[in-house]
Amino acid sequence: MNEDELRSLVGELTVAEKARLVTGADFWTLHPEPKVGLRRLVLSDGPNGVRGTTWDERDTSLLLPVASGLAATWDRDALTRAGELFGDEAVRRGVHVVLAPTINLHRSPFGGRHFENFSEDPLLTGVLGARIVAGIQSRGVAATPKHYVGNESETERFTYDAVIDERTLRDCYLEPFRRIVAEAGPWAMMAAYNSVNGHTMTEHSLLVNEVLKGEWGFDGVLVSDWFATRTCAPAANGGLDLAMPGPKSPWAEGALAEAVQDGEVAEEVLDDKVVRLLRLADRVGALGDEEKSAPVNDGPPEQARAVIRDLTARGFVLLRNEKALLPLDPGVTKIAVIGENATFPAVQGGGSSHVSPPHVVTPLEGLRKALPNAEIQHRRGVRHRRLLDPIPREEILDPQGEGSGLRVEYLGENDEVLSSELRGAERLIWQLGAMPEGTRKLRMSGSLSLELGEHVFGVNGTGHFRVEISGREVLTTDVAAEGEADDPLGDMLAPPEQRFNVVLVDSDVDGKGRACLTVEFTPQKIDADLIAVGLGHRAEGWDDAAELEAALRAARDCDVAVVVVGTNDEVETEGRDRGSLDLPGQQDELVAQVVAINPNTVVVVNAGGPVLMPWSSDAPAVLWTWFGGQEYGDALADVLMGAVEPGGRLPTTLPARLADVPVPLPGVQPVDGALRYSEGPLIGYRAYENRGVTPGFCFGHGLGYTSWSYDEASRDGDAVVVKLRNTGDRAGREVVQVYADNPVRLVGFAVVTAESGAEAEVTVPVEPCDGDLRVGRSAGDLRLDVVPGSDQP
């Protein structure tokens, strides 16, 4: 529809009808309005995958690598493909608006949501963010860049005031949003929880009405982060267009309509919000007579697996490869695969970006498929997860005989069974309204095959637990909440765990050696926005020293040791910042000892954000693999065996020492409510260059499996033309990077491929800038000065 037609539709609505449209109908959907042909709009979280409208492990979604892993490709076309995949998945799931991408900057490696953001550089973030937005919207689905703006920390995230000087705000933190608006025209955008320079972002008229909508010409819908709308008239006048979620919000139950009628909010202000909402609905096919065909939700498409696998491998960064250990010799016969992350890989971070994938390929599985004839030994080595291991679904049988998994019964006021269903065995999550009406308690039960003797079990969640083993009570306890009490995701982000020991005796098991586990759980708040509960288990026989020795013995006996270390979604998560950059547990000691034993050790780092690697200069090969999504293990095997090249370059600087971090831990923690960006624009590689400090691995670094000579670089108008040659013995891919100096900053990048020995020429578009330009492989490996072109002074 054209603008006149949209405004004509607004004229058909009363003030009350208009006000009703700009707050959610429920947690994920908006109100329809048949009077003007407006159908229900569906929104969904989406930074890693399109979850849909439920938190249910049975409702699976494609899981891509995290944003940092996608950004590590430095590849515009790859990000477009990722966006198209998001868009296709949204269409499949009946979603009109995907709440992605997250484009806040990597201000500090301590940021808890570091993995969900692209990079530390505004140009790289903006260019790649625009491509993923364009890819999503090419499928008729709205993208929602977030969180506008200054949302680089999670500590006190609902209330802190980001104090940022004008130059830094413009050049660093607003710049990616500006570029995405200019290059991709997003149909929606999300306002952050925090304040900037004294005004909360859901009421920030200067940054919304004047900058976003006025100066940049953004014509989409500005939606609040969930529960971020705090006021009625100030938020409306400040430029917010949609208050989420519903049905309760400061704009609901007639409050906004009353504010208009009382003159606190001009009716034309409300009209503009409704025009924007109708424009969004028109763009996604939810307005007018022609309705899109219903989605076919029969599971994620199988052909998407190859795309995700390719994107995952493209983002892997080869940090170190002494004596060309990688790729591995295809004739290798004995491999030790060591580490907890080899079988419990971190494939996504914690928080609202979480989805339930149809499967996860682990590193161990990927290598075993790639090398079916090799002897592959796996040892965990050390434990580092805070929670006990989840019980695999296939190991739990439904007491009612309907398959594997936990039988969940919803109990009413008098413990009557309102309904029941078969669920998974990992952590179960319900959002408000997902349980049957009248539910007061949950009863979860399943039968497990367990050896007699001592076992350790754990329950996690907030509320009262009562646990039975084959009718024998083994635990009754109250478990209190941890973290920020007002965080709606609190139960999911940092679940408290209560462990208890059980000695199984003959009377606990049936003739098949199975015991029935029953857990009754009364949530602390049955009307909470999210309720989460989980079970864990391990046999008491675990011995740290014995397992470490077994891992070292395997490393000593094998031709190659692949040590998979990293973090997990307990360490890197929405809702809190990181307290350390060390690998959790005793993983550093594990790596150091394996490296000392086996000279053919490959260390695979499975982390979303930077970690310190005190062993990196001793390890023959180090491969950084991010949180790799559902195809992680197969992509890892592809790279280790040389089927594909690790195509990634670092989108963030990896520090060598804690003392070198430009914005250390206190920098993500507000003081008296204020989070001061006192470092100005000096974050990431800019800060290292300014201080003359050499990091562990530079921004832009990545080795690949071939070598390159840089031969010539010249200016050609708004571009730099670079000639280079593949000097290695196999085809390869290179990311050519152009930097301005004084101060140093990335001004352009491009991807080029060439066969072994072949020359290549690539044209790199560059940003307007002062100073000389240099070209190279990373911020720390600049090889050529750019020769001015004939049109340059």
Side-chain angles (χ1 to χ4, degrees), residues 676-700:
R676 301 187 182 276
Y677 287 43
S678 54
E679 73 285 348
L682 297 178
I683 62 172
Y685 68 92
R686 302 184 190 195
Y688 283 94
E689 174 71 18
N690 179 262
R691 295 185 300 167
V693 173
T694 301
F697 296 97
C698 293
F699 175 81

Side-chain angles (χ1 to χ4, degrees), residues 102-108 111-114 116-117 146-164 169 173-174 177 190-196 201 225 228 352 574-575 577 668 675 677:
T102 308
I103 60 166
N104 304 106
L105 295 187
H106 293 166
R107 174 174 173 254
S108 168
R113 223 161 167 176
H114 195 284
E116 197 176 311
N117 299 302
K146 60 184 186 182
H147 310 82
Y148 186 75
V149 63
N151 186 200
E152 280 73 32
S153 298
E154 292 295 292
T155 306
E156 301 176 25
R157 62 182 179 143
F158 298 103
T159 57
Y160 74 73
D161 180 23
V163 182
I164 314 173
L169 182 60
Y173 299 101
L174 285 173
F177 290 96
M190 182 183 287
Y193 288 122
N194 56 278
S195 297
V196 173
M201 284 309 305
D225 204 339
S352 59
E574 178 181 351
D577 294 306
V668 297
L675 186 63
Y677 287 43

Side-chain angles (χ1 to χ4, degrees), residues 646-711:
R649 304 295 185 265
L650 288 175
T652 197
T653 306
L654 300 181
R657 304 180 307 151
L658 190 61
D660 296 340
V661 174
V663 183
L665 181 59
V668 297
Q669 297 174 336
V671 177
D672 297 329
L675 186 63
R676 301 187 182 276
Y677 287 43
S678 54
E679 73 285 348
L682 297 178
I683 62 172
Y685 68 92
R686 302 184 190 195
Y688 283 94
E689 174 71 18
N690 179 262
R691 295 185 300 167
V693 173
T694 301
F697 296 97
C698 293
F699 175 81
H701 173 71
L703 297 177
Y705 284 158
T706 189
S707 55
W708 297 85
S709 68
Y710 280 63
D711 302 329

Side-chain angles (χ1 to χ4, degrees), residues 351-365:
S352 59
S353 64
H354 184 276
V355 301
S356 296
H359 60 265
V360 170
V361 183
T362 71
L364 182 60
E365 291 169 339

Side-chain angles (χ1 to χ4, degrees), residues 458-641:
V459 291
N460 60 75
T462 302
H464 179 77
F465 287 92
R466 180 178 175 275
V467 182
E468 291 183 351
I469 295 285
S470 299
R472 174 167 62 97
E473 183 179 285
V474 292
L475 177 74
T476 179
T477 189
D478 291 300
V479 181
E482 297 178 0
E484 294 188 36
D486 60 348
D487 194 320
L489 301 183
D491 247 17
M492 185 185 74
L493 298 176
E497 180 181 58
Q498 177 66 53
R499 296 185 181 185
F500 55 99
N501 288 38
V502 175
V503 178
L504 291 181
V505 297
D506 288 335
S507 59
D508 293 321
V509 298
D510 61 19
K512 297 180 180 179
R514 304 190 69 88
C516 187
L517 174 69
T518 302
V519 179
E520 289 186 355
F521 173 58
T522 305
Q524 190 173 53
K525 292 176 61 179
I526 195 67
D527 59 348
D529 297 305
L530 282 177
I531 291 174
V533 63
L535 306 175
H537 168 262
R538 70 173 167 85
E540 182 57 29
W542 173 273
D543 179 85
D544 290 338
E547 177 59 24
L548 177 58
E549 180 53 38
L552 298 178
R553 188 165 54 250
R556 187 182 298 112
D557 293 343
C558 289
D559 304 320
V560 174
V562 177
V563 187
V564 188
V565 294
T567 61
N568 51 55
D569 60 3
E570 300 169 356
V571 174
E572 298 188 61
T573 179
E574 178 181 351
R576 65 178 182 274
D577 294 306
R578 297 165 67 187
S580 170
L581 298 186
D582 294 330
L583 285 171
Q586 301 301 309
Q587 294 182 93
D588 284 330
E589 178 184 349
L590 173 66
V591 173
Q593 292 198 45
V594 172
V595 167
I597 286 172
N598 191 321
N600 297 323
T601 295
V602 180
V603 184
V604 176
V605 184
N606 175 207
V611 296
L612 298 174
M613 297 177 284
W615 35 261
S616 62
S617 60
D618 298 321
V622 181
L623 182 68
W624 190 281
T625 60
W626 312 103
F627 292 161
Q630 66 182 51
E631 309 301 330
Y632 176 56
D634 282 339
L636 178 59
D638 289 342
V639 168
L640 293 178
M641 301 311 302

